[in-house]
Amino acid sequence: MSISLAKGQKIDLTKGNPSLSKVVVGLGWDTNKYSGSADFDLDASVFLLRAGDKALGIDDFIFYGNLRGGNGSIIHTGDNLTGEGDGDDEQIKIDLKNVPADIQKIAITVTIHEADSRGQNFGQVSNAFVRIVDEMTGREVLRYDLGEDFSVQTAVVFGELYRHNGEWKFSAVGAGYSGGLHALCTSYGLDVK
């Protein structure tokens, strides 16, 4: 039975479920009808964070242009350019037992590609969610539906997987950013041009 989280809630993933080692992070969304002519292209990304919530370099940023990270423990399954259909729009596979020991958090984010030039924001996105599925059994472990209205934001941190006393936990963050992917990268200590 899946646990449904609200913004700010945290849940233990591995302490009560020691067999949970390989998970699929599924992200999904729908776009509302609006007067613009450009399609929406939402992109899931993961930031591998060390002490101080900082990434060390591009290898700690897993996205459609860098599909693997964390010594192969994290794999982005690819970019969905339209978000059409039901279920997960993009997925990231994480082998929790093999995430490098110096990684303290895995931030799970979604941004709108070329949001500023297309006049798009998360206020035009609905039914956004993140879920974690046990890759071995297919069982959905948890789900967090973003109910907030991010009317001007172009990037959202959906949630974070983080280590605590040797176990993995999940925090439902739901924090919006203006400035898209560039703002997220800067926030996590990456210098992007």
Side-chain angles (χ1 to χ4, degrees):
M1 174 142 160
S2 178
I3 297 172
S4 185
L5 299 179
K7 181 176 180 172
Q9 282 188 302
K10 297 177 179 175
I11 185 172
D12 176 37
L13 285 178
T14 57
K15 188 174 183 182
N17 190 359
S19 66
L20 185 66
S21 64
K22 293 185 177 184
V23 298
V24 176
V25 178
L27 300 116
W29 50 79
D30 294 321
T31 54
N32 301 332
K33 299 295 180 204
Y34 78 113
S35 58
S37 60
D39 289 335
F40 273 81
D41 179 9
L42 276 68
D43 297 315
S45 303
V46 168
F47 293 87
L48 305 182
L49 308 175
R50 290 165 174 78
D53 288 348
K54 298 298 180 196
L56 287 184
I58 192 67
D59 292 340
D60 291 341
F61 175 37
I62 294 93
F63 67 112
Y64 61 85
N66 178 33
L67 296 175
R68 300 176 80 83
N71 294 333
S73 63
I74 298 170
I75 300 170
H76 191 303
T77 62
D79 191 11
N80 177 335
L81 297 175
T82 65
E84 292 295 318
D86 293 332
D88 299 340
D89 290 311
E90 293 191 13
Q91 292 183 332
I92 296 149
K93 295 182 176 189
I94 303 175
D95 183 348
L96 296 172
K97 291 192 186 318
N98 289 313
V99 173
D102 61 335
I103 303 299
Q104 296 302 305
K105 285 184 184 175
I106 301 170
I108 302 159
T109 70
V110 176
T111 56
I112 302 173
H113 185 68
E114 297 181 350
D116 291 339
S117 65
R118 295 178 179 184
Q120 298 173 344
N121 59 57
F122 272 94
Q124 299 159 324
V125 174
S126 60
N127 304 320
F129 67 87
V130 59
R131 68 190 193 115
I132 294 182
V133 175
D134 183 334
E135 186 177 353
M136 306 313 281
T137 66
R139 179 180 67 90
E140 184 176 281
V141 177
L142 68 85
R143 181 183 183 97
Y144 168 42
D145 293 299
L146 274 75
E148 296 90 63
D149 176 22
F150 299 102
S151 59
V152 297
Q153 286 84 7
T154 55
V156 176
V157 177
F158 277 41
E160 293 175 339
L161 288 161
Y162 66 98
R163 292 186 208 257
H164 182 73
N165 294 332
E167 301 290 346
W168 284 100
K169 297 182 178 248
F170 179 83
S171 174
V173 176
Y177 286 75
S178 295
L181 187 57
H182 186 271
L184 279 180
C185 287
T186 301
S187 166
Y188 291 130
L190 295 178
D191 183 21
V192 293
K193 305 276 186 267

